[in-house]
Amino acid sequence: MALTAIGVLAGIAAASMASTAGYQIKSGIDASSARDEALKDQNLRQDQARTDAKAQADRSEQMQSDILMKSKRQQGTREAMDYAGADAQGGAAGTMLTGPSGVDPSALSLGRSSLLGG
């Protein structure tokens, strides 16, 4: 009977160790699975952050380009107005048809040909 009791105790100990080993293996697998899942989540968040940062950089670059273009348009408008103002200050402004000297008043008398050649 003592031998049977020792055998039973040995069997219980062996079963307990096997159960503990099985639990440890399962816990290790669960921890590894959780770690892999966390790593996937982190990679997804990093990819999303990169995408968001690139989109923000693109928007910023577009805004800077728009500001530069607007500045150039305003500068071009300002230069054109200054040029037109300078022409007007010089007296009768010329046109593409009349040239820089404008129209000679004697050419405007009745009965003569027009400036357009008719």
Side-chain angles (χ1 to χ4, degrees):
M1 180 139 162
L3 214 46
T4 309
I6 291 176
V8 170
L9 287 175
I12 292 173
S16 175
M17 286 187 348
S19 172
T20 302
Y23 176 75
Q24 288 175 343
I25 290 171
K26 183 171 180 344
S27 294
I29 291 172
D30 290 345
S32 176
S33 181
R35 184 177 55 247
D36 290 344
E37 198 63 35
L39 184 60
K40 286 179 187 177
D41 288 344
Q42 180 182 4
N43 287 337
L44 286 173
R45 285 191 302 271
Q46 285 178 340
D47 289 344
Q48 185 62 43
R50 280 189 204 104
T51 302
D52 292 346
K54 172 100 172 78
Q56 179 62 35
D58 290 345
R59 282 191 301 271
S60 177
E61 185 176 321
Q62 182 62 41
M63 285 175 28
Q64 288 177 350
S65 177
D66 291 347
I67 290 170
L68 181 62
M69 290 300 290
K70 184 177 180 181
S71 174
K72 284 182 179 179
R73 279 194 305 260
Q74 287 175 345
Q75 182 180 7
T77 303
R78 198 171 329 144
E79 288 174 356
M81 294 300 286
D82 290 345
Y83 181 75
D87 278 348
Q89 289 176 355
T95 66
M96 291 177 66
L97 295 174
T98 63
S101 61
V103 177
D104 180 20
S106 65
L108 295 176
S109 61
L110 295 174
R112 299 204 175 218
S113 64
S114 71
L115 292 176
L116 297 176

